[in-house]
Amino acid sequence: MSRKRIEAPPLTDRSQFRRVSQKSVDELNQTLHARINSMVGLDEQLSTKIKQLQVSTFTTKDLTSIGSSLQDMVTTLQKVSFNEIMYNQLLRDNEKLKNEQSYLKAQLFKLNHLNSKFQQENQQLLEKIRSQEVDINNLNKKLTAEQKLNEELSKKLKRSEQRVQIILESNITIQKDQLKHNLVEVLTENEHIKKDAIQKQKDFQKLQMVNNSLNQKLQRLNNRFQIRSKVQSEEDFIDQEKMVITFTEIPNNFVFRHVFQNLECKQFIQSVLEFSTEDFLVHINSINPETKKMQLTWLFNYMINYKDFSLAHNVFIIKLSKLMQIYSYDEMYNFFTTLSSFFKVSHIYLWLRDFQTGFFINQLDGKQKKIICTKGAFRDCLDTRESVNKLTAHKHIMYQNDLGEDIYQDSTYIFPIITDAALPAGLIEFHHPIQSNNFSDIQYFASILGLYTKIQIQKIDEEMHKNQLLKQTDILQWQFLKLMKAIDKFHFCELMKEMQCKIMQLSTSEIVFVENNGLWKYHNQEIRKLDNLAGVCGQVAISKQPAYFANISKELNFNQIVDMYSIAPLFVYPIVHNNQTYALIQVSLTNKQIDKYRFKDPLISLSSQSNQARLFCDYVTTAYIHKFL
């Protein structure tokens, strides 16, 4: 009997069986059943063969055939058992696949349900988006309409602002003209009032002088009447120790120290000076011998006093001539120390004010001394602008040194040096007279010395100022030649700033150009523009007049694009040619740029007086007109 050899299918991975479809599982089951059925006949043949072997005996050939047959049967049985195992395994896998299929079907149902739900929601969202798009389109239409309305309103607002600005400018010009007219009228009225007041003052002074002379004549007549009614001796009214009389023009607070103590003596001398020769002879012949002797003694002492006074006057005039030849403050300080012998005082000092610091300075042998006159006798002299007499043995506070310590002195006379400034330019200090009978001489000669000192220090100050102006003019002319070589306007701006740095230290300057009714300037190598005449520069360009601003950032028309920001005062100068403004120069000013004499008040306004800034602007204007116009 021929036997087909059944081969077992190759072993595969469990994951491969899971992927087997239901059709392949059915085919495998049919194959297995066919093979098992075919093995039923084999079992029967095997049982018959076993029975035959038990009954009969076999040869060697039969035994070999039987062994081979048994071997084949064993192999077949192994395959059958293997197929059964695989079949069972396949059944179990089939059950699992069925379970998984049912689970997947349930999941698929859920997914389909969710998909339908999501589709409905998506449809609703699409409808909402469509409605929102419609709303957005409507809003965009409204926005465009409102933008158009806003543009129209802004145009109307600009037109109204321009109209208001034109009206304001016209009103401002009208008000300026009215104010100027009113100011001129007020000034003229003020001048007339001043003239009337001066004339009245002169008339009052004349009346006072006439009244004084009449009072003196009346007093002399009364004295004569008393003298004739009463006889006096010389010792009753003459101070023999102080036989000195000085008749000069003296200050208002002059104190008579060593003159005749008797009032009648002074009145007699004054009346004699008014007499003619004939009147004097008549007067001498009309009095009694004792009175004649006494009055002649008075005249003799007066002539001696006049002689001494004349000699002192001549010496003082020579010294004043030396003062007028001095042209530096150091020489003036040294000159005053040489006057102590003439005034017969222990020392005499000249104190000059430093307007920059407020100190009063004296220099002796190259050493400078500073004092503060905020209290004491020096302060009283400065406030009253009159001399202060402290010629007493009691010590008074005079001033404070540079450390703030109070300085006390006795026997001191202080005379102020009055100039055109609001405050005195300095003081002259006379300390400790050597003789007790020269107080009036100190007062008189101090007044003359103060007058000549004032004249001389003003000359020195003006000379120094002129020298400084000449130096500035030389520098300006040299820089002017550089400006004339400028290539373009940007190069012109750089050369102008270089010129400003050499003339006006610690200052800044800029130039703003006017073109096509607009403003522009170079700033940090960039161009800033305005299409109209705006800002403070625009106002100056319209007025065509220079202007001074103490704080330009607080001005109503300040525009940071063209106007220069500066904490310091600012001077704006227009470059005008043929009644048209072409550019504007802006210069910030410090204390060094504002013109200031040492013994005059600093300038408050720059519109009427020449100074560093105006001189600088004049040169720049001339260069710009010749270079670009």
Side-chain angles (χ1 to χ4, degrees):
M1 182 174 75
S2 63
R3 298 177 181 170
K4 273 188 179 180
R5 190 168 179 177
I6 300 172
E7 295 181 356
L11 295 174
T12 59
D13 197 357
R14 185 179 294 272
S15 60
Q16 293 179 350
F17 284 105
R18 291 180 180 175
R19 291 194 294 269
V20 178
S21 63
Q22 184 65 32
K23 184 177 179 182
S24 61
V25 173
D26 295 336
E27 291 177 354
L28 183 58
N29 288 333
Q30 291 176 4
T31 304
L32 289 175
H33 283 295
R35 288 185 178 178
I36 290 169
N37 292 330
S38 66
M39 290 301 293
V40 174
L42 291 174
D43 292 337
E44 291 177 355
Q45 290 178 6
L46 183 58
S47 62
T48 55
K49 284 290 185 182
I50 290 170
K51 288 178 181 179
Q52 287 176 3
L53 287 173
Q54 286 176 357
V55 175
S56 60
T57 58
F58 300 96
T59 64
T60 307
K61 186 177 179 179
D62 295 331
L63 292 172
T64 55
S65 62
I66 291 167
S68 62
S69 297
L70 290 171
Q71 189 175 0
D72 292 336
M73 291 174 69
V74 169
T75 303
T76 302
L77 290 171
Q78 289 176 351
K79 288 181 180 180
V80 168
S81 62
F82 176 75
N83 287 332
E84 288 179 354
I85 294 168
M86 293 301 295
Y87 177 72
N88 294 327
Q89 184 66 32
L90 287 171
L91 288 175
R92 288 192 296 272
D93 292 337
N94 190 16
E95 290 295 329
K96 288 181 181 180
L97 288 172
K98 286 181 180 180
N99 294 329
E100 290 177 358
Q101 187 177 6
S102 61
Y103 176 74
L104 290 173
K105 285 181 179 180
Q107 293 293 327
L108 182 62
F109 178 78
K110 289 181 180 180
L111 290 172
N112 290 329
H113 180 69
L114 290 172
N115 190 16
S116 61
K117 185 178 179 181
F118 288 153
Q119 286 179 354
Q120 292 177 358
E121 293 178 354
N122 189 17
Q123 189 66 27
Q124 293 176 358
L125 290 172
L126 288 173
E127 291 177 356
K128 289 182 180 180
I129 289 169
R130 288 172 186 170
S131 63
Q132 289 178 356
E133 287 178 352
V134 173
D135 295 335
I136 289 170
N137 292 328
N138 294 329
L139 290 173
N140 287 328
K141 290 179 181 178
K142 290 181 180 179
L143 182 62
T144 53
E146 289 179 355
Q147 286 179 350
K148 290 180 180 179
L149 290 174
N150 288 331
E151 289 177 357
E152 293 177 357
L153 289 173
S154 62
K155 289 180 181 178
K156 291 180 181 179
L157 182 62
K158 286 183 180 178
R159 291 173 185 171
S160 63
E161 286 179 352
Q162 290 176 355
R163 290 177 183 174
V164 170
Q165 188 174 2
I166 292 168
I167 293 169
L168 287 175
E169 288 177 356
S170 62
N171 290 333
I172 287 170
T173 53
I174 293 169
Q175 290 177 0
K176 281 183 179 178
D177 295 335
Q178 291 178 354
L179 288 172
K180 286 181 180 178
H181 182 68
N182 294 332
L183 184 60
V184 170
E185 291 181 353
V186 171
L187 289 174
T188 53
E189 291 178 359
N190 191 15
E191 290 295 329
H192 289 306
I193 292 170
K194 282 184 179 178
K195 289 180 181 178
D196 293 338
I198 292 169
Q199 187 63 35
K200 289 180 180 179
Q201 185 69 23
K202 290 180 179 178
D203 295 339
F204 180 72
Q205 290 178 356
K206 289 179 180 178
L207 291 174
Q208 278 186 337
M209 293 174 63
V210 172
N211 189 22
N212 291 331
S213 63
L214 291 174
N215 289 330
Q216 289 175 2
K217 289 181 179 180
L218 180 61
Q219 188 69 28
R220 284 199 297 272
L221 292 173
N222 292 329
N223 291 333
R224 289 176 185 176
F225 178 76
Q226 291 177 1
I227 291 170
R228 289 181 179 180
S229 62
K230 181 182 177 181
V231 179
Q232 294 178 342
S233 63
E234 184 178 356
E235 287 79 8
D236 294 335
F237 51 87
I238 298 178
D239 187 354
Q240 299 294 335
E241 295 180 357
K242 300 179 180 180
M243 296 290 291
V244 181
I245 302 176
T246 304
F247 292 96
T248 57
E249 188 176 350
I250 54 180
N252 294 329
N253 61 342
F254 188 84
V255 178
F256 290 91
R257 288 287 181 181
H258 48 293
V259 294
F260 292 105
Q261 302 298 313
N262 188 273
L263 181 63
E264 183 183 354
C265 175
K266 292 187 289 185
Q267 292 175 352
F268 167 72
I269 297 298
Q270 290 176 356
S271 62
V272 168
L273 293 175
E274 295 176 0
F275 286 162
S276 62
T277 306
E278 292 80 7
D279 294 336
F280 179 72
L281 292 175
V282 171
H283 171 71
I284 289 295
N285 294 325
S286 64
I287 58 178
N288 55 43
E290 294 181 357
T291 306
K292 183 186 296 186
K293 178 182 178 182
M294 180 178 60
Q295 291 183 355
L296 290 174
T297 304
W298 291 347
L299 287 175
F300 179 73
N301 290 325
Y302 171 73
M303 287 187 290
I304 293 174
N305 176 68
Y306 185 78
K307 177 184 176 182
D308 295 337
F309 179 74
S310 298
L311 293 174
H313 235 286
N314 293 333
V315 174
F316 191 62
I317 290 171
I318 295 171
K319 291 185 178 294
L320 289 178
S321 64
K322 293 180 181 179
L323 173 63
M324 302 306 292
Q325 297 174 1
I326 294 174
Y327 287 97
S328 69
Y329 294 119
D330 294 338
E331 294 179 3
M332 187 174 288
Y333 287 129
N334 294 328
F335 169 77
F336 268 78
T337 58
T338 62
L339 296 176
S340 57
S341 60
F342 173 79
F343 281 93
K344 298 178 182 179
V345 294
S346 62
H347 65 261
I348 175 173
Y349 290 148
L350 172 66
W351 300 94
L352 293 181
R353 180 192 296 274
D354 184 4
F355 279 97
Q356 299 290 335
T357 61
F359 285 103
F360 281 76
I361 300 173
N362 174 38
Q363 190 167 341
L364 182 63
D365 298 331
K367 296 180 180 180
Q368 193 178 79
K369 184 179 179 181
K370 295 181 180 180
I371 63 172
I372 306 171
C373 299
T374 56
K375 60 191 299 188
F378 279 36
R379 170 67 182 275
D380 298 337
C381 182
L382 294 173
D383 290 343
T384 59
R385 298 170 67 89
E386 293 181 352
S387 60
V388 174
N389 189 351
K390 298 295 181 181
L391 295 169
T392 60
H394 178 67
K395 287 188 176 182
H396 301 272
I397 179 171
M398 294 287 116
Y399 52 81
Q400 292 176 300
N401 58 15
D402 53 354
L403 301 177
E405 299 173 349
D406 297 340
I407 304 299
Y408 291 84
Q409 282 184 179
D410 58 350
S411 300
T412 305
Y413 182 75
I414 310 161
F415 190 86
I417 301 173
I418 309 298
T419 58
D420 298 333
L423 296 173
L427 299 166
I428 304 175
E429 176 192 356
F430 302 88
H431 179 59
H432 203 282
I434 298 172
Q435 296 180 1
S436 61
N437 61 347
N438 64 338
F439 297 141
S440 60
D441 293 341
I442 291 175
Q443 296 177 78
Y444 171 74
F445 287 112
S447 62
I448 300 176
L449 181 62
L451 176 63
Y452 279 85
T453 304
K454 164 199 168 181
I455 296 171
Q456 193 62 20
I457 63 176
Q458 286 181 341
K459 286 183 179 179
I460 295 171
D461 193 49
E462 290 176 359
E463 188 70 22
M464 293 172 64
H465 186 70
K466 288 179 182 178
N467 293 333
Q468 186 179 3
L469 286 178
L470 289 173
K471 290 180 182 178
Q472 291 177 1
T473 304
D474 292 339
I475 298 172
L476 282 168
Q477 291 176 354
W478 179 254
Q479 294 296 324
F480 174 78
L481 296 175
K482 286 187 176 182
L483 286 176
M484 294 299 295
K485 297 179 182 178
I487 301 171
D488 52 14
K489 291 184 178 180
F490 180 74
H491 190 211
F492 188 86
C493 294
E494 291 181 343
L495 292 175
M496 186 194 73
K497 289 188 176 182
E498 179 183 349
M499 180 178 180
Q500 163 258 313
C501 290
K502 290 186 178 180
I503 299 299
M504 299 181 291
Q505 292 82 7
L506 301 177
S507 179
T508 55
S509 64
E510 288 181 356
I511 185 168
V512 180
F513 301 98
V514 182
E515 289 184 3
N516 298 325
N517 203 24
L519 302 173
W520 64 278
K521 72 173 181 178
Y522 293 106
H523 182 75
N524 295 332
Q525 297 183 352
E526 294 181 356
I527 298 177
R528 291 185 174 183
K529 287 187 177 181
L530 279 177
D531 295 333
N532 54 356
L533 296 177
V536 178
C537 287
Q539 298 295 320
V540 177
I542 294 170
S543 65
K544 301 175 186 177
Q545 295 294 329
Y548 170 76
F549 302 97
N551 190 346
I552 193 170
S553 61
K554 292 184 178 180
E555 294 294 323
L556 181 63
N557 298 313
F558 178 74
N559 192 317
Q560 60 183 355
I561 296 178
V562 292
D563 296 331
M564 183 172 68
Y565 176 78
S566 174
I567 301 175
L570 202 70
F571 184 52
V572 183
Y573 189 90
I575 298 177
V576 181
H577 183 62
N578 293 332
N579 201 22
Q580 184 178 354
T581 304
Y582 289 92
L584 300 150
I585 305 169
Q586 301 180 85
V587 182
S588 65
L589 304 173
T590 61
N591 290 333
K592 290 188 176 181
Q593 279 76 62
I594 300 176
D595 282 350
K596 183 185 296 182
Y597 292 91
R598 182 171 182 179
F599 301 107
K600 289 185 179 180
D601 294 330
L603 297 181
I604 299 173
S605 174
L606 303 177
S607 59
S608 60
Q609 301 192 36
S610 176
N611 52 30
Q612 266 188 341
R614 184 175 288 276
L615 196 63
F616 167 76
C617 293
D618 288 340
Y619 274 88
V620 175
T621 300
T622 305
Y624 185 87
I625 292 173
H626 286 82
K627 186 68 181 176
F628 298 104
L629 301 180

